[in-house]
Amino acid sequence: HNYADAIPELRQASELAPGNARYAYVYAIALNSIGAGASAIELLENTHKRHPTDRDTLLALVSIARDTGDYASALTHARELVALSPTDMQLRMLVLDLEKRQAH
């Protein structure tokens, strides 16, 4: 995928449909892929405020924060995911992994 070429269209879709968490999510992933991780996080945090139970938004926040070494933020959002899906063992393992990383 060449996300850079799609950035303007993704931004427009996100801005025209602020109620659609999916558009913001895809735009944020594209931003992160071209090295604009800080912008991606800001967009995802704003989307998360509007859509606090959107799983994809939370997963992206966890992933980008973890990749940048911000384990505290990743852990916060991973715990929110566990609260939404308490029986999801993968999410529980993710929290444990992030707790270990943060401790080091």
Side-chain angles (χ1 to χ4, degrees):
H1 292 301
N2 188 353
Y3 283 117
D5 293 344
I7 293 279
E9 288 86 2
L10 292 170
R11 182 180 64 233
Q12 187 176 22
S14 176
E15 288 170 356
L16 290 175
N20 188 324
R22 187 75 195 165
Y23 289 158
Y25 164 78
V26 173
Y27 178 38
I29 296 302
L31 284 172
N32 190 56
S33 77
I34 62 162
S39 297
I41 289 279
E42 183 181 353
L43 176 61
L44 289 165
E45 289 286 6
N46 288 334
T47 303
H48 178 53
K49 285 182 187 121
R50 286 195 304 272
H51 306 278
T53 61
D54 186 73
R55 185 180 168 99
D56 286 340
T57 299
L58 280 165
L59 285 168
L61 280 165
V62 170
S63 179
I64 295 170
R66 181 185 56 205
D67 292 349
T68 59
D70 183 356
Y71 298 121
S73 181
L75 194 50
T76 297
H77 293 305
R79 286 177 175 145
E80 288 178 84
L81 280 164
V82 169
L84 293 172
S85 304
T87 60
D88 188 325
M89 291 314 292
Q90 274 189 303
L91 292 176
R92 289 180 176 274
M93 295 300 289
L94 176 64
V95 167
L96 289 173
D97 178 61
L98 288 167
E99 285 172 345
K100 277 187 215 150
R101 289 173 188 242
Q102 190 183 28
H104 290 185

